[in-house]
Amino acid sequence: MRIDILTLFPEMFESPLNYSILKRAQEQGLVAIAVTNIRDFAADRYRKVDDKPYGGGPGMVMMPGPVFDCFEHVAKLAPPEGLCRGRPALEARAGCPRHGRVILLTPQGTPFNQSKARELAQEDRLILIAGRYEGFDERIRVGLNAEQISIGDYILNGGELAAMVIVDAVVRLLPGALGDEDSAKSDSFSVGANDDLPLLEYPHYTRPEVFRGLKVPDILLSGDHAKIAQWRREQSLERTRQWRPDLLERGDREKGG
Ligand code: ADE
């Protein structure tokens, strides 16, 4: 997979992309992540990328020119060799533009969740565009045929953190990105992703057996794997009921219940 991030603050990505699973996935060649500065495509000597909104009102709006030029530059870059292993060349895929999916990060977007992460992890290529100021000139969304994603119902100072959240959630789903393939499957929200309800995770314990008077539940020390599996399932259900009852209701609705 290749992920391009278009932003006015490329430095913000240096640290999150260079640790742990994201770093390893890039080193292993599972994903190439490139960050490009939209300001480098500004047309004037002041490197202007925003302007006042037509019709008046507060704040500044991101101009379409620099974003389009930046996008067109990035879209031409081919995914590095080997990143589409086992798949037809991107250019040759009917109905699949060479640049893959284009996503604007904005609070107006479709809410991001685990099923969207799974969907995006199937793509060969993503282009994420992080906005600043009051938002994007509408012609950016229309002209680039971009979808919009929000990471939650709150306003961030820009789309950069949202882009990082998406990259993190997507890359860990790429086959081979996690040391233990199973650990992604049993994560909260991924349990029984097909026809089961999404549940929160059961509680985890590690050594020591007693910590400041708090003991690991006996069942986990019993060696009875069937009983342990049943206990964990019950714990998952109970926690979901207590902390995120909306997930169970949503599951019922999705099942037509
Ligand atoms: N930009 C500003 N706020 C955002 C949000 N909640 N999600 C995605 N992008 C944003």
Side-chain angles (χ1 to χ4, degrees):
M1 173 184 254
R2 177 182 168 112
I3 303 177
D4 282 283
I5 301 163
L6 279 50
T7 169
L8 292 170
F9 296 99
E11 298 82 5
M12 284 180 72
F13 292 86
E14 275 165 23
S15 157
L17 297 182
N18 283 303
Y19 284 93
S20 180
I21 289 167
L22 289 188
K23 180 176 191 219
R24 211 177 51 218
Q26 292 172 88
E27 286 169 354
Q28 287 175 335
L30 302 176
V31 62
I33 307 174
V35 183
T36 305
N37 193 343
I38 296 169
R39 202 177 290 282
D40 290 345
F41 296 83
D44 69 341
R45 52 198 271 259
Y46 303 104
R47 312 223 310 147
K48 190 173 169 61
V49 290
D50 61 320
D51 212 331
K52 287 179 287 207
Y54 278 118
M60 301 289 270
V61 175
M62 277 181 79
M63 296 158 69
V67 176
F68 265 70
D69 289 349
C70 182
F71 172 83
E72 277 158 7
H73 167 81
V74 159
K76 275 191 233 123
L77 305 173
E81 275 299 299
L83 284 171
C84 304
R85 240 169 314 191
R87 303 192 189 188
L90 283 180
E91 307 85 297
R93 272 170 57 174
C96 172
R98 186 181 159 93
H99 53 66
R101 279 166 83 155
V102 184
I103 296 166
L104 298 182
L105 286 319
T106 155
Q108 274 76 246
T110 310
F112 186 64
N113 57 23
Q114 190 64 18
S115 84
K116 182 60 96 178
R118 266 186 239 115
E119 184 190 314
L120 297 180
Q122 304 298 317
E123 299 287 337
D124 288 323
R125 189 154 190 205
L126 301 174
I127 297 186
L128 307 180
I129 307 179
R132 284 267 148 180
Y133 316 118
E134 285 305 302
F136 298 100
D137 183 301
E138 182 65 3
R139 291 161 295 185
I140 296 172
R141 181 183 70 79
V142 173
L144 299 182
N145 193 20
E147 57 192 294
Q148 306 183 95
I149 294 183
S150 161
I151 61 159
D153 289 341
Y154 38 78
I155 312 293
L156 300 167
N157 290 317
E160 284 77 13
L161 291 172
M164 286 172 209
V165 165
I166 291 175
V167 169
D168 195 281
V170 167
V171 170
R172 66 196 302 287
L173 294 177
L174 299 178
L178 300 179
D180 174 4
E181 275 294 300
D182 285 341
S183 60
K185 283 199 209 95
S186 66
D187 278 351
S188 297
F189 304 119
S190 283
V191 175
N194 298 328
D195 54 3
D196 209 343
L197 303 184
L199 299 177
L200 298 188
E201 277 198 75
Y202 51 79
H204 301 283
Y205 293 89
T206 185
R207 282 191 285 193
E209 220 174 287
V210 182
F211 178 72
R212 302 199 178 181
L214 299 172
K215 213 180 155 307
V216 174
D218 288 337
I219 183 106
L220 297 178
L221 309 173
S222 69
D224 185 335
H225 293 293
K227 282 230 169 76
I228 291 171
Q230 191 193 342
W231 179 84
R232 285 178 164 167
R233 176 86 185 162
E234 285 162 8
Q235 289 287 318
S236 282
L237 266 169
E238 189 44 41
R239 291 176 152 224
T240 311
R241 232 178 254 132
Q242 259 187 39
W243 296 339
R244 290 294 307 273
D246 58 299
L247 291 177
L248 295 173
E249 286 152 23
R250 203 188 301 167
D252 282 344
R253 271 203 306 278
E254 279 161 13
K255 283 179 157 186

